Amino acid sequence: MKRLLALPPLLLAVAALAAPTIDPPPGWRDVLSEGKVRNAVVALKGPETSSFIVKRAPTAPLDNPAGVRGYLRDVLAGLRAASRREYQSTGRVETRSFRNGLTAQLLRAQLKGEERLVLALFGAAGKPYVAVLMSAAPEAMLTSLLGALELDRIEGVIQSKGVVRSLDGQLELALGGGLRSRSLGDAEKAKGFVLAIQGAGAEILFMKLAESDATKPGEQAAITRALAAAAAGVDVEKAAAVRSAPTAAGPVGVYSWAPGAGGEKMSAGDLPWGYWGYQLFGRGPGSDELLAGALAALKGGPTAVAGLLAASPTIPIEKALPWRKILLGAAAVLCALGAAGLLSWSLRRKNANLPS
């Protein structure tokens, strides 16, 4: 358990390593270390007043066209207010793909009739990012900047169709409908992660548990909630109540989530799987829903044995009494008290009428 509770900081460190990187094009320099742009992961200064900044955008709705448009418009309004420049835009959002594999949603803005600003929203490693390019000729710099982000350090290989299997061959998942997988990096493999699933601006990592990491089923629900709280850096009381998450293969997992910084959700889950088990870690605005949805679609892979899956232990969850039962119980108590009161009143009335 101690090893598991030490994992959330490790996951945050891995996420930091997965942030976009870029080699500045000629005439541009890296100013990220100067710390002038808060929460930036990429900050470049170009000729004259040109700049290129990439920041995390945890609340951005990548899979909702109307939400993307509204989010980029809000960013533009903020830039207009901060810079005191009257940037104007038609509000049209376009999709642009680059040779490095990045696909971004773009919103262009003009200053005094000339295009001077491009906003871009894109996903990387299951997390949304927003880029701001200010230049006298932003169109000419898009390929040299957005197209030069090193996606091999961001996403690895993304698979959005077909079937994906975990590295140990135990887990199998059909992709599509917004559900995709990401290849794991060497550092992730070394820590025991066997599968990475993305969707809805979130990512879920599956880590196979060794026998030394095994805990009693009765303890796992509390551990799962503690993991979610530790990942978010909050007290365990702020983590959501543990819920069950059945799989298509038969075993039933459990999960919880806790509110993180900037609207993110940090999720944790546990999946009993035959003799083994998997710990799940999620990050992103919809990580709890992605976790439950991924488990619901999860099937046994080519190395899974049906008999072992059927014998997977069940994790008990302490459940509060449903409100209906509570109300019915309260009503029964009140009725009993009312009947006792009526009986007591009747006896007093009867005794009062008896002759002395």
Side-chain angles (χ1 to χ4, degrees):
M1 178 175 176
K2 290 182 179 179
R3 179 188 171 196
L4 292 178
L5 290 177
L7 278 170
L10 166 67
L11 293 177
L12 296 179
V14 170
L17 292 174
T21 59
I22 188 172
D23 292 325
W28 293 68
R29 61 187 179 89
D30 190 343
V31 295
L32 183 63
S33 60
E34 297 178 9
K36 295 182 178 180
V37 184
R38 186 179 179 184
N39 297 327
V41 296
V42 170
L44 302 182
K45 179 70 175 66
E48 299 179 354
T49 59
S50 299
S51 63
F52 178 64
I53 297 169
V54 179
K55 302 178 71 173
R56 290 187 175 89
T59 60
L62 286 176
D63 299 330
N64 184 334
V68 168
R69 187 181 303 109
Y71 182 88
L72 290 176
R73 285 178 175 176
D74 289 344
V75 173
L76 179 60
L79 288 172
R80 187 185 295 121
S83 65
R84 297 183 180 180
R85 294 184 177 182
E86 292 301 319
Y87 288 108
Q88 302 296 324
S89 174
T90 62
R92 186 175 72 89
V93 175
E94 61 181 275
T95 301
R96 180 85 168 266
S97 296
F98 300 87
R99 288 183 298 178
N100 61 350
L102 182 146
T103 298
Q105 307 294 317
L106 306 181
L107 177 68
R108 302 171 184 270
Q110 297 75 39
L111 189 63
K112 297 181 179 179
E114 299 290 336
E115 186 171 296
R116 293 290 185 262
L117 176 70
V118 173
L119 303 179
L121 187 64
F122 60 92
K127 294 178 284 293
Y129 291 84
V130 62
V132 180
L133 171 58
M134 293 183 178
S135 173
E139 175 61 33
M141 296 304 303
L142 283 176
T143 300
S144 299
L145 294 171
L146 280 174
L149 288 171
E150 298 187 31
L151 296 186
D152 57 331
R153 298 184 195 175
I154 302 176
E155 295 182 297
V157 178
I158 298 297
Q159 181 181 345
S160 58
K161 297 180 180 179
V163 174
V164 64
R165 296 185 177 95
S166 58
L167 295 180
D168 61 357
Q170 286 284 320
L171 312 177
E172 181 176 295
L173 197 64
L175 303 176
L179 194 65
R180 55 189 182 272
S181 69
R182 171 181 67 82
S183 63
L184 295 165
D186 292 338
E188 293 169 319
K189 294 177 183 177
K191 296 300 180 182
F193 293 103
V194 296
L195 181 64
I197 299 297
Q198 299 178 350
E203 181 173 78
I204 305 296
L205 289 170
F206 289 70
M207 184 185 75
K208 190 167 186 176
L209 298 177
E211 186 176 351
S212 59
D213 296 323
T215 56
K216 296 179 180 179
E219 301 174 349
Q220 199 55 56
I223 292 174
T224 297
R225 191 180 184 191
L227 281 170
V234 300
D235 295 334
V236 69
E237 291 78 12
K238 294 185 179 180
V242 177
R243 297 182 179 181
S244 62
T247 68
V252 178
V254 297
Y255 71 100
S256 176
W257 64 271
E264 282 197 320
K265 287 182 179 178
M266 307 300 290
S267 300
D270 184 86
L271 176 63
W273 195 264
Y275 291 140
W276 308 277
Y278 296 89
Q279 203 78 50
L280 283 63
F281 299 94
R283 182 175 186 173
S287 63
D288 57 329
E289 296 177 2
L290 176 62
L291 191 154
L295 288 185
L298 195 65
K299 297 181 179 180
T303 64
V305 179
L308 294 179
L309 295 185
S312 299
T314 300
I315 298 175
I317 301 176
E318 292 185 5
K319 296 182 179 179
L321 288 174
W323 278 109
R324 184 172 179 270
K325 289 186 177 181
I326 293 175
L327 292 174
L328 289 175
V333 171
L334 290 175
C335 288
L337 291 175
L342 179 61
L343 178 59
S344 176
W345 176 84
S346 297
L347 288 174
R348 289 197 305 268
R349 180 74 178 270
K350 182 178 181 181
N351 291 334
N353 293 330
L354 291 176
S356 57

